[in-house]
Amino acid sequence: MKLKNINLGLGLMALLALSSCADDKFSEYRTDMTKNLKEYQYLNNYEPLKKYVEDMKASGKCNPDFKLGIALAAPDFNKQELVYCLAGSNFEEMTAGNAMKYASCVKNDGTFDFNTVKDFVTNAQDAGLTIYGHTLAWHSQQNKKYLSKLIADKEIQVDPSQKVDKVDAYTDFSKMNSFPFYVMGYTPEIKDGILISKYPGKWYQYFVVDNYPVDVDAKREYKVTAMIKASEDGQIDVQTGNWGATTYQKMSVSTQWKEQSVTFSGLTTEKAFVVFQPGDFAGDISCKWVKVTHSEAPVMEIETEVHKETYTDGDFPFYVMGCTPPVINGAIHFVPTGDWSQFFVMPGGDNELDEGDYVVYLDLTSDKDASGVDLTMQNGWGGTAQAITAKVPVAAGRHSVKIEMPKVEGGNYDIILKPQTADATLDVHSVRVCKITKSNSIPLTDEEKKSRLIDAMGKWIDGMMEATNGYVTSWDVVNEALSGEDKDKDGKYDLQHAATASADDKKNCFYWQDYLGDLDYVRLAVADARKSFAAHNGDPEKLKLFINDYNLESDWDDNGKLRSLIKWIHDWEADGVTKIDGIASQMHISCYADPVKQESVKKHIVKMLELMKESKKLCKISELDMGYVDAAGKEVTYDQMTEEQHKEMRDLYTFVLQKYFEIIPIDKQYGITQWCATDSPKNSGWRPGLATGLWDLNYLRKHTYAGFAVGLGAPKYWENLAE
């Protein structure tokens, strides 16, 4: 290991031991004196953090099962170098930052890769460290591509003989004057709209199609067809795929112009090229065009009901236009008077339509055959209002009449029946409006989508439990389920959903709860976790499942999110089966220069702990870190921090930890995890440039290390510094 490339700045003792750390298990971390500052010297008096936890457990001041944790990158820990030593020296438990999340383990085809997780578990066992599982169910960091494909519209099943070819790529050389593709040592010529290649005296190849799309998940068969001839009969290789993932087929060529085709299956790249490889074929090859196709069901018209109007007995229910037929036996009953007549059958307020093609179905009874009856769909009134009118065929008896309404521009459309002067008595039982879409697929039902996702979640959780083999006994079973507002006014914050998410979140996230439901989303995750944990060598009595969320300590809503979460837990557990063991509070907090704001922050941290106590659930601080906000309300980066600001953060760490042990009953104390070991690099995706760590970026202890240690019962050594 090249220490100079790591640039640690550790104490001498740590540096000497580091190269053999994997063998010696852990080295003790102390601060070197490169700064030679008197106010930092006290930091070397502190023991590794977990020593203070051991002392608290020995004296009965905290839960024997309490875990002091650190978040880290599992691949870094698996190297058994610096991060391995840091974790083992100071902490009892680890949380993998990303390695145990869905997107890290689930491939685009839905298969799993748990190799990093398995190594993480093995190395944790060897090091004597436990693991906190993060996370089983979440809307973020999902393989959205796979999950969306899982519930995508399904292709209409037709007889294979009825399928049609869809063109994925077409290269027409008649429209070209020069070779358009990447050159691989040989460049064919284009003459009179024909691609011509001549044997150069050695093996050769060239592109004929580039960058056509492949639906890998659909496992389609792709056909490459060329209008081609050669100076003599023979065969050439045709290659398709992409670099590192190609496949070959033989294409026949003859001295006559012919359409020649080869088919390929099992393509594994989303973009592909086609390469002709005459190889050692000694003749000339001419080609007019090349196309890539696949077969699929033909496009069909699909009707989807968007609105339906039925009627209640009584007076005419809508805006009156001179004709007011009553509703009798659930139908608008029209009796002709001899005058020109029209009346609403569906008002625009009930019929908001998007742009597109529609059909209207009238459930109609007539006492005789009749003509001269029209139906109009009209978007408002005035010169610019769109009005579409069609004839209504009326026959004696009860029947459903279909009226086409094409090219609707969009808006709120009144539907008006115009018997005009027809002499038939009409009863309108209902009106249905259906949108016409042209597709070769149909949407899955809500029930089908839910079923597929229940299966996917179950397989994911089972796979993770198999990979961890009963060793990981505590989990974020559901992460960040709650939003920050109560739109339905039921007294608790709503769950997060795509409908209320930001544009970026909609694009990047997959909201399981949209399909599984607010209650079943959590209940299913809990049930799957308990079932699979037991099935894979886990002791059910040891399994602890937490709901993890952020802003539970928030002062701007008086801990409203935590209050809501406690209500949600009550709802989830109301089935008498679901059991949630604990609440995990992330606590990504800030230390404020503004004393009023700082006092409010501390007050609501205390309130959070008191509410967690009242819940009678296990309490975990799962992702503790801290930044600093100056008097102007601006976050201060680590390179701009003053010593006094560092010390203020030190004191806040002490406050948080001391209040945790003071307020949370011993039997409910599950653990505290520091989210950032070091300050956050300025190019980080998490709190970039902030002084988030207990160590700086050179792995030197900071004042915050001392504050954290004091919160665990260590002395305030800084009070003994010589003036």
Side-chain angles (χ1 to χ4, degrees):
M1 183 173 87
K2 298 179 180 178
L3 295 177
K4 68 177 183 179
N5 292 337
I6 297 179
N7 191 24
L8 301 179
L10 296 171
L12 179 61
M13 183 178 179
L15 287 173
L16 292 174
L18 194 55
S19 61
S20 61
C21 186
D23 297 325
D24 298 339
K25 291 296 189 287
F26 313 116
S27 64
E28 186 175 320
Y29 278 69
R30 299 187 183 275
T31 305
D32 72 6
M33 290 297 105
T34 55
K35 294 185 179 182
N36 196 29
L37 297 175
K38 181 174 65 177
E39 61 243 286
Y40 277 81
Q41 293 178 8
Y42 77 96
L43 291 171
N44 271 340
N45 294 324
Y46 287 102
E47 301 288 341
L49 294 174
K50 70 178 183 182
K51 172 66 166 55
Y52 300 109
V53 177
E54 293 167 356
D55 292 344
M56 291 182 72
K57 292 177 180 180
S59 62
K61 294 180 179 180
C62 78
N63 191 329
D65 294 326
F66 175 91
K67 298 292 191 300
L68 182 66
I70 184 67
L72 44 74
D76 289 342
F77 181 82
N78 288 341
K79 294 176 183 177
Q80 298 190 20
E81 296 175 350
L82 171 62
V83 172
Y84 182 89
C85 297
L86 176 67
S89 175
N90 284 278
F91 301 96
E92 302 168 305
E93 185 169 82
M94 300 178 294
T95 301
N98 290 308
M100 299 176 74
K101 294 174 181 174
Y102 191 92
S104 300
C105 303
V106 182
K107 300 179 181 179
N108 288 342
D109 63 355
T111 59
F112 302 131
D113 181 358
F114 291 116
N115 289 325
T116 298
V117 175
K118 292 177 181 178
D119 289 344
F120 189 46
V121 170
T122 298
N123 291 326
Q125 288 177 298
D126 181 63
L129 294 167
T130 60
I131 295 172
Y132 182 77
H134 178 73
T135 176
L136 294 178
W138 194 20
H139 60 271
S140 185
Q141 290 186 253
Q142 307 297 287
N143 190 316
K144 186 177 180 180
K145 179 179 179 179
Y146 166 67
L147 292 171
S148 298
K149 191 75 176 181
L150 197 63
I151 57 173
D153 298 350
K154 55 186 177 183
E155 186 172 311
I156 298 170
Q157 297 301 308
V158 298
D159 189 296
S161 64
Q162 296 179 331
K163 289 194 172 185
V164 296
D165 284 343
K166 181 178 179 180
V167 178
D168 301 287
Y170 183 69
T171 305
D172 184 358
F173 296 108
S174 70
K175 303 180 183 299
M176 300 179 187
N177 296 315
S178 61
F179 184 68
F181 301 119
Y182 173 75
V183 176
M184 298 185 289
Y186 177 83
T187 307
E189 65 175 323
I190 295 179
K191 186 176 180 181
D192 299 327
I194 298 174
L195 183 75
I196 302 171
S197 62
K198 301 178 181 292
Y199 180 56
K202 59 182 180 180
W203 189 96
Y204 75 112
Q205 62 182 355
Y206 50 90
F207 275 72
V208 291
V209 174
D210 194 18
N211 209 38
Y212 73 88
V214 176
D215 190 336
V216 177
D217 298 327
K219 297 180 171 54
R220 289 183 171 133
E221 185 176 83
Y222 289 84
K223 181 166 67 174
V224 176
T225 304
M227 179 62 75
I228 194 170
K229 76 171 184 176
S231 58
E232 59 185 79
D233 294 346
Q235 289 185 323
I236 65 172
D237 284 343
V238 178
Q239 178 189 45
T240 192
N242 217 316
W243 305 113
T246 56
T247 184
Y248 298 80
Q249 292 289 348
K250 295 286 187 181
M251 177 181 282
S252 297
V253 292
S254 71
T255 58
Q256 303 296 316
W257 284 109
K258 288 184 179 181
E259 289 189 16
Q260 304 282 7
S261 298
V262 290
T263 57
F264 298 89
S265 60
L267 300 185
T268 59
T269 60
E270 295 181 350
K271 297 290 184 180
F273 51 63
V274 179
V275 172
F276 280 0
Q277 295 181 327
D280 295 321
F281 181 81
D284 298 344
I285 298 171
S286 300
C287 182
K288 293 181 178 180
W289 52 260
V290 180
K291 65 180 177 181
V292 181
T293 60
H294 70 271
S295 64
E296 59 183 40
V299 172
M300 303 176 69
E301 287 191 350
I302 301 169
E303 296 181 4
T304 304
E305 183 179 300
V306 291
H307 299 293
K308 182 177 182 179
E309 194 79 39
T310 58
Y311 312 104
T312 302
D313 288 4
D315 294 337
F316 183 71
F318 307 127
Y319 174 76
V320 176
M321 296 188 294
C323 183
T324 58
V327 180
I328 301 174
N329 296 325
I332 297 177
H333 183 66
F334 170 76
V335 178
T337 63
D339 296 328
W340 191 94
S341 301
Q342 64 178 3
F343 56 90
F344 279 80
V345 292
M346 181 182 290
D350 297 338
N351 192 36
E352 183 177 357
L353 304 177
D354 299 324
E355 182 181 3
D357 297 328
Y358 291 83
V359 293
V360 175
Y361 286 93
L362 288 176
D363 183 1
L364 188 69
T365 299
S366 178
D367 68 338
K368 62 176 71 174
D369 294 347
S371 61
V373 180
D374 290 343
L375 187 79
T376 295
M377 269 200 350
Q378 185 159 322
N379 179 20
W381 305 89
T384 60
Q386 183 186 27
I388 308 171
T389 298
K391 294 293 183 182
V392 179
V394 177
R398 183 167 179 174
H399 53 286
S400 180
V401 182
K402 179 180 179 180
I403 305 109
E404 294 183 355
M405 294 289 178
K407 299 181 179 179
V408 170
E409 295 173 354
N412 293 296
Y413 284 80
D414 300 308
I415 301 181
I416 306 161
L417 187 65
K418 299 177 177 178
Q420 303 185 102
T421 57
D423 62 351
T425 298
L426 305 175
D427 286 287
V428 183
H429 304 276
S430 67
V431 181
R432 293 193 303 123
V433 181
C434 300
K435 187 171 186 179
I436 303 296
T437 55
K438 294 181 179 180
S439 177
N440 67 347
S441 60
I442 56 176
L444 299 179
T445 66
D446 291 345
E447 291 75 17
E448 288 174 316
K449 291 178 181 179
K450 184 173 183 177
S451 177
R452 291 191 177 195
L453 290 174
I454 288 173
D455 182 65
M457 177 179 283
K459 289 179 177 177
W460 149 249
I461 292 176
D462 189 70
M464 180 59 76
M465 292 301 181
E466 182 180 19
T468 54
N469 195 35
Y471 186 72
V472 182
T473 60
S474 56
W475 293 85
D476 287 337
V477 64
V478 177
N479 191 50
E480 300 178 2
L482 271 66
S483 72
E485 52 188 337
D486 179 15
K487 287 194 172 184
D488 60 7
K489 307 300 180 184
D490 65 349
K492 59 182 186 291
Y493 290 174
D494 310 320
L495 296 199
Q496 299 203 54
H497 291 278
T500 55
S502 68
D504 282 345
D505 282 349
K506 284 182 185 178
K507 179 181 177 181
N508 298 317
C509 298
F510 185 88
Y511 293 84
W512 296 80
Q513 51 270 49
D514 285 352
Y515 308 96
L516 304 183
D518 288 352
L519 294 177
D520 282 353
Y521 169 49
V522 174
R523 288 173 177 174
L524 288 165
V526 170
D528 286 339
R530 296 196 182 282
K531 177 183 177 182
S532 295
F533 181 78
H536 296 292
N537 301 313
D539 181 352
E541 295 298 318
K542 295 182 179 179
L543 180 62
K544 306 300 178 187
L545 300 179
F546 291 79
I547 304 294
N548 186 52
D549 221 318
Y550 60 93
N551 286 347
L552 303 187
E553 77 289 343
S554 57
D555 63 341
W556 58 86
D557 66 347
D558 194 29
N559 303 100
K561 194 172 189 181
L562 176 55
R563 299 175 196 272
S564 296
L565 177 56
I566 293 170
K567 292 178 181 178
W568 271 110
I569 290 174
H570 176 270
D571 292 348
W572 292 323
E573 293 185 328
D575 61 355
V577 176
T578 302
K579 179 188 178 186
I580 294 164
D581 299 289
I583 298 172
S585 175
Q586 295 185 12
M587 289 198 71
H588 302 295
I589 60 176
S590 293
C591 182
Y592 290 87
D594 180 350
V596 176
K597 176 64 175 177
Q598 187 62 37
E599 188 60 31
S600 177
V601 166
K602 293 169 72 174
K603 174 183 175 182
H604 286 86
I605 289 171
V606 170
K607 278 192 175 184
M608 178 196 76
L609 295 169
E610 290 174 341
L611 287 167
M612 294 175 83
K613 174 184 176 181
E614 292 172 10
S615 76
K616 296 181 170 53
K617 298 293 184 181
L618 293 175
C619 174
K620 178 175 176 65
I621 297 177
S622 57
E623 302 180 18
L624 179 61
D625 61 16
M626 191 183 301
Y628 191 90
V629 178
D630 65 19
K634 183 180 178 181
E635 289 186 318
V636 182
T637 57
Y638 59 77
D639 55 344
Q640 299 297 316
M641 290 280 293
T642 67
E643 293 301 317
E644 287 306 312
Q645 289 169 341
H646 281 296
K647 292 172 182 178
E648 289 173 36
M649 293 176 69
R650 174 185 68 191
D651 294 342
L652 186 55
Y653 268 116
T654 298
F655 175 85
V656 171
L657 270 67
Q658 286 182 340
K659 288 298 179 182
Y660 175 91
F661 291 110
E662 174 187 322
I663 296 172
I664 302 301
I666 287 180
D667 66 332
K668 303 301 180 185
Q669 297 169 356
Y670 187 81
I672 297 174
T673 293
Q674 174 65 17
W675 197 243
C676 298
T678 71
D679 296 340
S680 185
K682 291 189 176 182
N683 63 351
S684 173
W686 177 250
R687 307 188 82 168
L690 299 190
T692 51
L694 307 184
W695 292 264
D696 68 14
L697 288 171
N698 291 316
Y699 287 86
L700 299 172
R701 286 179 180 176
K702 297 167 51 185
H703 293 300
T704 47
Y705 183 99
F708 204 99
V710 171
L712 296 171
K716 293 183 178 180
Y717 289 119
W718 63 84
E719 293 180 341
N720 300 324
L721 290 176
E723 298 295 333

